[in-house]
Amino acid sequence: MAFIYTYSQNNRGQKTHFMFIDIPVVALPYAMLLITMVVRGWQSALTEAMGIPAAHLYNFLTYLYPVYGGGRNFITVPNFVQKYFKREEDRNRSYGWANNPSRSSANAPEGTSSGSSSGSSWGWASSDNWKGRGAGRKLGG
C-alpha cells in the first residue's frame, strides 16, 4: 500500500483504470482498501492501511521537509549501500546521477541497436530498424 500511495502522490491530476471504472489516481489506495475490506475483512484492510501513514511520513521526511521546510533529510541511505549499487559507468552530477552507456553497446556493430536514436527505448519500435526488414508482403496473399 505504501508503494501505491507514493505512486498516487507522484502522479496527482491523472486518472487510472481500476477494475472497470476510471478514477483519479489519488483515490487508488483508498479504492484498493475498500476492495480489501469487502473481500478479506476490516482487519486486513486496517493492516494494509498502515502503509498510507508510513508512506506519507517517509515522503515528508525525505522530500517535503528538506526541500520546502529547509530542514535536513532524516532518512538517508547508508554509504555502503550506495557504494554497493554504484557502477563504474555512473557519473555524479550536481543534480543527481547520470548513467553512461556501457562500452559493449557503444562499440556494437552498425545495425544492432541496444536502444534507439529516435526517442523510443524499445529497439524493435525504432523507425531506423524498419529500413532493412524486407519487401513488406502481405500475409496469406
Side-chain angles (χ1 to χ4, degrees):
M1 188 56 63
F3 291 124
I4 295 164
Y5 181 79
T6 302
Y7 170 78
S8 70
Q9 294 302 309
N10 291 339
N11 293 299
R12 284 182 167 268
Q14 296 182 1
K15 292 211 176 246
T16 188
H17 190 75
F18 181 71
M19 297 277 193
F20 49 87
I21 60 171
D22 287 335
I23 61 172
V25 75
V26 293
L28 182 62
Y30 306 107
M32 292 184 74
L33 281 175
L34 180 67
I35 295 298
T36 300
M37 187 176 70
V38 169
V39 173
R40 298 179 62 200
W42 66 271
Q43 293 95 349
S44 295
L46 186 61
T47 303
E48 278 188 16
M50 291 299 107
I52 293 174
H56 189 77
L57 183 64
Y58 179 80
N59 187 28
F60 178 77
L61 293 176
T62 59
Y63 180 69
L64 294 174
Y65 183 63
V67 172
Y68 297 110
R72 69 179 190 94
N73 187 355
F74 289 103
I75 303 174
T76 58
V77 178
N79 286 333
F80 72 91
V81 174
Q82 288 180 355
K83 287 179 184 178
Y84 180 77
F85 286 102
K86 185 176 177 186
R87 298 180 303 190
E88 291 297 321
E89 297 92 21
D90 293 340
R91 230 181 354 196
N92 191 2
R93 296 183 177 179
S94 61
Y95 52 85
W97 292 93
N99 187 339
N100 292 332
S102 65
R103 289 188 178 100
S104 62
S105 65
N107 297 331
E110 192 173 328
T112 59
S113 157
S114 63
S116 167
S117 60
S118 64
S120 173
S121 62
W122 297 1
W124 58 268
S126 169
S127 62
D128 294 340
N129 286 343
W130 293 105
K131 290 181 180 174
R133 296 288 184 199
R137 296 182 181 90
K138 293 190 325 186
L139 293 176

